[in-house]
Amino acid sequence: MTPNALLDLVKAQSQVLYLDSTKLANLLRQALGVYQDKAGLIRKLRFGDDDTEADTPDDLLEIAVAADAEGRWHEYRMGETSITIVEQAGKSVKPYTVSYFVNLRDMDIDEDELPPEAVGPLSSYLEILIAIPNTARARQIATATGMQVEYPSDEELRGRKENLELDMEDSQAIIPMATVY
């Protein structure tokens, strides 16, 4: 699922939406950024059986750890377009694996795919991010038209948002272990 498909899914859950597409896109970017900061996402880049160099992934934010086939930590060098493992004479066992943090903030919201494990938390968080300004606007309209409608309070909505952020922190990506020799 792309980020825009996620946004469309969340928008479909609202009966009335008072926010314009620019504001919704900004809230989507905000949700991606908060998820990146609070939970994070780690992917693995596996090198070929005989390779010590691999192309830098487009979604790389930062390398967490580089290890050989036996889980030994290895130094690495970042080039502009590649990652090179620094081999340890007589100790390195190929193939190498680099675990890295994914850059969600800069992903293409029309083309890039969200990882399945991020869709649920991002959906809930995006829903509450939209609900906060949307409910405030709905409250203004109800007041202006004299309608007697009950909406969740700002404190309640902010509390739900904070709880979702805590849930993201509780599900933080775990950095793979490596042994240092």
Side-chain angles (χ1 to χ4, degrees):
M1 172 179 290
T2 66
N4 263 344
L6 177 69
L7 178 59
D8 290 340
L9 181 71
V10 171
K11 287 187 326 189
Q13 295 174 4
S14 297
Q15 291 180 0
V16 179
L17 202 53
Y18 296 107
L19 307 175
D20 63 22
S21 59
T22 303
K23 178 69 174 173
L24 291 169
N26 289 339
L27 290 173
L28 174 61
R29 287 272 180 215
Q30 181 182 346
L32 290 170
V34 169
Y35 188 81
Q36 175 181 307
D37 293 342
K38 302 271 184 197
L41 179 65
I42 293 179
R43 287 195 176 142
K44 290 187 178 194
L45 171 64
R46 298 192 196 284
F47 287 55
D49 288 341
D50 295 321
D51 297 335
T52 58
E53 184 173 291
D55 293 336
T56 303
D58 293 335
D59 60 352
L60 180 127
L61 178 66
E62 185 65 42
I63 292 180
V65 67
D68 68 5
E70 293 184 357
R72 287 188 201 107
W73 176 85
H74 277 66
E75 290 184 38
Y76 59 89
R77 287 191 203 104
M78 288 287 301
E80 289 192 27
T81 60
S82 66
I83 301 168
T84 305
I85 299 295
V86 177
E87 292 189 282
Q88 299 172 3
K91 293 184 182 177
S92 298
V93 179
K94 293 178 182 175
Y96 299 106
T97 303
V98 168
S99 299
Y100 66 94
F101 293 102
V102 175
N103 183 355
L104 295 174
R105 277 191 176 89
D106 296 330
M107 69 187 313
D108 184 334
I109 61 174
D110 294 316
E111 299 293 326
D112 291 342
E113 292 287 321
L114 291 168
E117 66 269 21
V119 171
L122 274 171
S123 174
S124 298
Y125 191 70
L126 183 56
E127 184 179 339
I128 197 67
L129 284 181
I130 291 171
I132 291 170
N134 201 55
T135 302
R137 180 71 178 132
R139 207 178 287 117
Q140 289 174 342
I141 291 170
T143 301
T145 59
M147 293 176 56
Q148 295 293 330
V149 183
E150 208 172 299
Y151 293 104
S153 69
D154 290 339
E155 293 79 25
E156 180 183 340
L157 293 172
R158 280 194 295 270
R160 287 182 16 207
K161 177 181 170 251
E162 289 170 6
N163 286 338
L164 289 170
E165 289 173 354
L166 288 173
D167 289 345
M168 284 184 209
E169 288 177 0
D170 288 344
S171 66
Q172 281 181 346
I174 298 172
I175 297 172
M177 186 172 60
T179 305
V180 178
Y181 282 82

